[in-house]
Amino acid sequence: MRFAVFLSVCVSFVTTSPSDAAEFSQVQDLPALKMGAPDLDAILLESRAFIDAANGSDDSGWEMVKVNIDGQEIEIPHLSLASSVAFPNEVFGFSYIYRQADRPISSVTIDLGDSLRRVSVNGGSAEKVEALSRLLEKDFHRHATAIGGLKFRRVAGICLSMLFLTSLMISSTYYWKNRNRSALGILICSAVGFLLVLFVPWNRFVPGFVLYERYSPFFLVRHAPEIFLLCLVAALLGIPLSYFLLRKER
């Protein structure tokens, strides 16, 4: 009896293991992204064309698009291009999901958000899965930005807050005792930098992902993140500059 049970388990394992081994997966984490709706449309259409070529034109897979607008997640149960969705000028979350079992490309997930940007491709063909994964990674990397994302903002915010706050405390104490103009420069730069870190909406200016319906024609609006970053850098550089002027006066 025990031998019969053991034999049935072995046969079941042998018959099921090849199907499990036939599933291949590729996962790519992406850097911070900044792109327009037409750019994302082109990537979605290209990926869908690749899936149709791999699975066959008669493929009727299940698809869904999710858009995060002002904290609310809107689900669209079909492939809807980004430019065809009515949303505000900026969107900070977008997802695309494709599912079709037992195909060379059985699932594709594109998850673009502030804390995570990831592309996941699964299927029965290792060659097709790897090719689509590399294609998506290459397309998205064209819209990568050097800085952005929740983790970057947390680390940079903590470091800059501690730096500006420490400089503010030391410079205010020194200025109160000596009334030196150069010390006043350190005090002003520290205060301005600390206020910029606290009150500028960096989650909108340095997001992990942002999708523009259209780019603003106004220079100040279009380059607001760069302008605030330059102000922050100027405040940061003003501290050592004022310190060297203070030493020179001595």
Side-chain angles (χ1 to χ4, degrees), residues 48-61 98 100 103:
R48 182 60 200 184
F50 188 99
I51 293 172
D52 290 340
N55 293 349
S57 58
D58 60 337
D59 176 49
S60 58
Y98 166 86
Q100 178 71 330
R103 294 297 179 99

PDB file of all heavy atoms in Angstrom, residues 48-61 98 100 103:
ATOM      1  N   ARG A  48       2.599  45.606 -26.976  1.00  0.00           N
ATOM      2  CA  ARG A  48       1.440  44.837 -27.419  1.00  0.00           C
ATOM      3  C   ARG A  48       1.695  44.193 -28.786  1.00  0.00           C
ATOM      4  O   ARG A  48       1.291  43.037 -29.025  1.00  0.00           O
ATOM      5  CB  ARG A  48       0.208  45.748 -27.493  1.00  0.00           C
ATOM      6  CG  ARG A  48      -1.056  45.024 -27.897  1.00  0.00           C
ATOM      7  CD  ARG A  48      -1.421  43.928 -26.922  1.00  0.00           C
ATOM      8  NE  ARG A  48      -2.329  42.954 -27.521  1.00  0.00           N
ATOM      9  CZ  ARG A  48      -2.864  41.951 -26.879  1.00  0.00           C
ATOM     10  NH1 ARG A  48      -2.584  41.747 -25.605  1.00  0.00           N
ATOM     11  NH2 ARG A  48      -3.671  41.117 -27.484  1.00  0.00           N
ATOM     12  N   ALA A  49       2.376  44.906 -29.679  1.00  0.00           N
ATOM     13  CA  ALA A  49       2.722  44.338 -30.978  1.00  0.00           C
ATOM     14  C   ALA A  49       3.672  43.147 -30.813  1.00  0.00           C
ATOM     15  O   ALA A  49       3.554  42.137 -31.514  1.00  0.00           O
ATOM     16  CB  ALA A  49       3.351  45.411 -31.863  1.00  0.00           C
ATOM     17  N   PHE A  50       4.614  43.265 -29.858  1.00  0.00           N
ATOM     18  CA  PHE A  50       5.542  42.164 -29.594  1.00  0.00           C
ATOM     19  C   PHE A  50       4.785  40.950 -29.065  1.00  0.00           C
ATOM     20  O   PHE A  50       5.051  39.815 -29.465  1.00  0.00           O
ATOM     21  CB  PHE A  50       6.605  42.613 -28.598  1.00  0.00           C
ATOM     22  CG  PHE A  50       7.712  41.622 -28.400  1.00  0.00           C
ATOM     23  CD1 PHE A  50       8.930  41.778 -29.056  1.00  0.00           C
ATOM     24  CD2 PHE A  50       7.559  40.517 -27.562  1.00  0.00           C
ATOM     25  CE1 PHE A  50       9.956  40.860 -28.881  1.00  0.00           C
ATOM     26  CE2 PHE A  50       8.566  39.603 -27.382  1.00  0.00           C
ATOM     27  CZ  PHE A  50       9.779  39.767 -28.046  1.00  0.00           C
ATOM     28  N   ILE A  51       3.830  41.179 -28.157  1.00  0.00           N
ATOM     29  CA  ILE A  51       3.040  40.077 -27.599  1.00  0.00           C
ATOM     30  C   ILE A  51       2.228  39.382 -28.691  1.00  0.00           C
ATOM     31  O   ILE A  51       2.156  38.147 -28.746  1.00  0.00           O
ATOM     32  CB  ILE A  51       2.121  40.602 -26.481  1.00  0.00           C
ATOM     33  CG1 ILE A  51       2.955  41.072 -25.284  1.00  0.00           C
ATOM     34  CG2 ILE A  51       1.140  39.523 -26.036  1.00  0.00           C
ATOM     35  CD1 ILE A  51       2.150  41.786 -24.225  1.00  0.00           C
ATOM     36  N   ASP A  52       1.607  40.172 -29.569  1.00  0.00           N
ATOM     37  CA  ASP A  52       0.821  39.590 -30.662  1.00  0.00           C
ATOM     38  C   ASP A  52       1.698  38.760 -31.592  1.00  0.00           C
ATOM     39  O   ASP A  52       1.290  37.694 -32.060  1.00  0.00           O
ATOM     40  CB  ASP A  52       0.126  40.700 -31.457  1.00  0.00           C
ATOM     41  CG  ASP A  52      -0.995  41.349 -30.664  1.00  0.00           C
ATOM     42  OD1 ASP A  52      -1.478  40.720 -29.709  1.00  0.00           O
ATOM     43  OD2 ASP A  52      -1.375  42.488 -30.995  1.00  0.00           O
ATOM     44  N   ALA A  53       2.917  39.247 -31.859  1.00  0.00           N
ATOM     45  CA  ALA A  53       3.827  38.497 -32.726  1.00  0.00           C
ATOM     46  C   ALA A  53       4.287  37.201 -32.058  1.00  0.00           C
ATOM     47  O   ALA A  53       4.459  36.182 -32.730  1.00  0.00           O
ATOM     48  CB  ALA A  53       5.033  39.365 -33.080  1.00  0.00           C
ATOM     49  N   ALA A  54       4.461  37.245 -30.738  1.00  0.00           N
ATOM     50  CA  ALA A  54       4.930  36.051 -30.029  1.00  0.00           C
ATOM     51  C   ALA A  54       3.817  35.034 -29.808  1.00  0.00           C
ATOM     52  O   ALA A  54       4.011  33.829 -29.967  1.00  0.00           O
ATOM     53  CB  ALA A  54       5.536  36.457 -28.688  1.00  0.00           C
ATOM     54  N   ASN A  55       2.618  35.518 -29.449  1.00  0.00           N
ATOM     55  CA  ASN A  55       1.515  34.619 -29.106  1.00  0.00           C
ATOM     56  C   ASN A  55       0.580  34.314 -30.264  1.00  0.00           C
ATOM     57  O   ASN A  55      -0.223  33.392 -30.190  1.00  0.00           O
ATOM     58  CB  ASN A  55       0.687  35.225 -27.961  1.00  0.00           C
ATOM     59  CG  ASN A  55       1.456  35.287 -26.658  1.00  0.00           C
ATOM     60  OD1 ASN A  55       2.537  34.702 -26.541  1.00  0.00           O
ATOM     61  ND2 ASN A  55       0.921  35.997 -25.691  1.00  0.00           N
ATOM     62  N   GLY A  56       0.664  35.111 -31.334  1.00  0.00           N
ATOM     63  CA  GLY A  56      -0.252  34.937 -32.448  1.00  0.00           C
ATOM     64  C   GLY A  56      -1.274  36.058 -32.478  1.00  0.00           C
ATOM     65  O   GLY A  56      -1.683  36.586 -31.436  1.00  0.00           O
ATOM     66  N   SER A  57      -1.694  36.429 -33.657  1.00  0.00           N
ATOM     67  CA  SER A  57      -2.616  37.551 -33.807  1.00  0.00           C
ATOM     68  C   SER A  57      -4.004  37.264 -33.240  1.00  0.00           C
ATOM     69  O   SER A  57      -4.780  38.187 -32.991  1.00  0.00           O
ATOM     70  CB  SER A  57      -2.741  37.929 -35.286  1.00  0.00           C
ATOM     71  OG  SER A  57      -3.185  36.811 -36.041  1.00  0.00           O
ATOM     72  N   ASP A  58      -4.339  35.972 -33.052  1.00  0.00           N
ATOM     73  CA  ASP A  58      -5.645  35.617 -32.503  1.00  0.00           C
ATOM     74  C   ASP A  58      -5.659  35.635 -30.978  1.00  0.00           C
ATOM     75  O   ASP A  58      -6.639  35.227 -30.358  1.00  0.00           O
ATOM     76  CB  ASP A  58      -6.064  34.225 -32.995  1.00  0.00           C
ATOM     77  CG  ASP A  58      -5.059  33.141 -32.565  1.00  0.00           C
ATOM     78  OD1 ASP A  58      -3.895  33.494 -32.306  1.00  0.00           O
ATOM     79  OD2 ASP A  58      -5.447  31.960 -32.507  1.00  0.00           O
ATOM     80  N   ASP A  59      -4.574  36.118 -30.380  1.00  0.00           N
ATOM     81  CA  ASP A  59      -4.475  36.145 -28.926  1.00  0.00           C
ATOM     82  C   ASP A  59      -5.553  37.061 -28.342  1.00  0.00           C
ATOM     83  O   ASP A  59      -5.753  38.183 -28.795  1.00  0.00           O
ATOM     84  CB  ASP A  59      -3.085  36.648 -28.509  1.00  0.00           C
ATOM     85  CG  ASP A  59      -2.951  36.785 -27.008  1.00  0.00           C
ATOM     86  OD1 ASP A  59      -3.308  35.831 -26.299  1.00  0.00           O
ATOM     87  OD2 ASP A  59      -2.509  37.854 -26.556  1.00  0.00           O
ATOM     88  N   SER A  60      -6.262  36.563 -27.334  1.00  0.00           N
ATOM     89  CA  SER A  60      -7.318  37.341 -26.683  1.00  0.00           C
ATOM     90  C   SER A  60      -7.052  37.392 -25.188  1.00  0.00           C
ATOM     91  O   SER A  60      -7.887  36.988 -24.374  1.00  0.00           O
ATOM     92  CB  SER A  60      -8.691  36.746 -26.960  1.00  0.00           C
ATOM     93  OG  SER A  60      -8.737  35.391 -26.518  1.00  0.00           O
ATOM     94  N   GLY A  61      -5.882  37.856 -24.822  1.00  0.00           N
ATOM     95  CA  GLY A  61      -5.498  37.903 -23.421  1.00  0.00           C
ATOM     96  C   GLY A  61      -6.270  38.959 -22.642  1.00  0.00           C
ATOM     97  O   GLY A  61      -6.854  39.876 -23.205  1.00  0.00           O
ATOM     98  N   TYR A  98      -1.116  42.380 -18.318  1.00  0.00           N
ATOM     99  CA  TYR A  98      -1.578  41.473 -19.377  1.00  0.00           C
ATOM    100  C   TYR A  98      -1.483  40.042 -18.867  1.00  0.00           C
ATOM    101  O   TYR A  98      -0.492  39.670 -18.236  1.00  0.00           O
ATOM    102  CB  TYR A  98      -0.713  41.647 -20.638  1.00  0.00           C
ATOM    103  CG  TYR A  98      -0.887  40.538 -21.653  1.00  0.00           C
ATOM    104  CD1 TYR A  98      -1.900  40.599 -22.599  1.00  0.00           C
ATOM    105  CD2 TYR A  98      -0.037  39.429 -21.655  1.00  0.00           C
ATOM    106  CE1 TYR A  98      -2.069  39.577 -23.522  1.00  0.00           C
ATOM    107  CE2 TYR A  98      -0.197  38.405 -22.570  1.00  0.00           C
ATOM    108  CZ  TYR A  98      -1.215  38.486 -23.510  1.00  0.00           C
ATOM    109  OH  TYR A  98      -1.383  37.466 -24.416  1.00  0.00           O
ATOM    110  N   GLN A 100      -2.431  35.860 -20.141  1.00  0.00           N
ATOM    111  CA  GLN A 100      -2.929  34.823 -21.049  1.00  0.00           C
ATOM    112  C   GLN A 100      -2.119  33.559 -20.787  1.00  0.00           C
ATOM    113  O   GLN A 100      -0.924  33.506 -21.067  1.00  0.00           O
ATOM    114  CB  GLN A 100      -2.794  35.252 -22.512  1.00  0.00           C
ATOM    115  CG  GLN A 100      -3.238  34.220 -23.520  1.00  0.00           C
ATOM    116  CD  GLN A 100      -4.749  34.005 -23.562  1.00  0.00           C
ATOM    117  OE1 GLN A 100      -5.427  34.172 -22.569  1.00  0.00           O
ATOM    118  NE2 GLN A 100      -5.277  33.650 -24.704  1.00  0.00           N
ATOM    119  N   ARG A 103       1.115  30.511 -22.963  1.00  0.00           N
ATOM    120  CA  ARG A 103       1.584  31.165 -24.188  1.00  0.00           C
ATOM    121  C   ARG A 103       3.061  31.513 -24.040  1.00  0.00           C
ATOM    122  O   ARG A 103       3.597  31.538 -22.923  1.00  0.00           O
ATOM    123  CB  ARG A 103       0.777  32.436 -24.484  1.00  0.00           C
ATOM    124  CG  ARG A 103      -0.691  32.188 -24.826  1.00  0.00           C
ATOM    125  CD  ARG A 103      -0.828  31.365 -26.096  1.00  0.00           C
ATOM    126  NE  ARG A 103      -2.232  31.103 -26.427  1.00  0.00           N
ATOM    127  CZ  ARG A 103      -2.923  31.805 -27.316  1.00  0.00           C
ATOM    128  NH1 ARG A 103      -2.344  32.809 -27.954  1.00  0.00           N
ATOM    129  NH2 ARG A 103      -4.182  31.500 -27.566  1.00  0.00           N
TER     130      ARG A 103
END
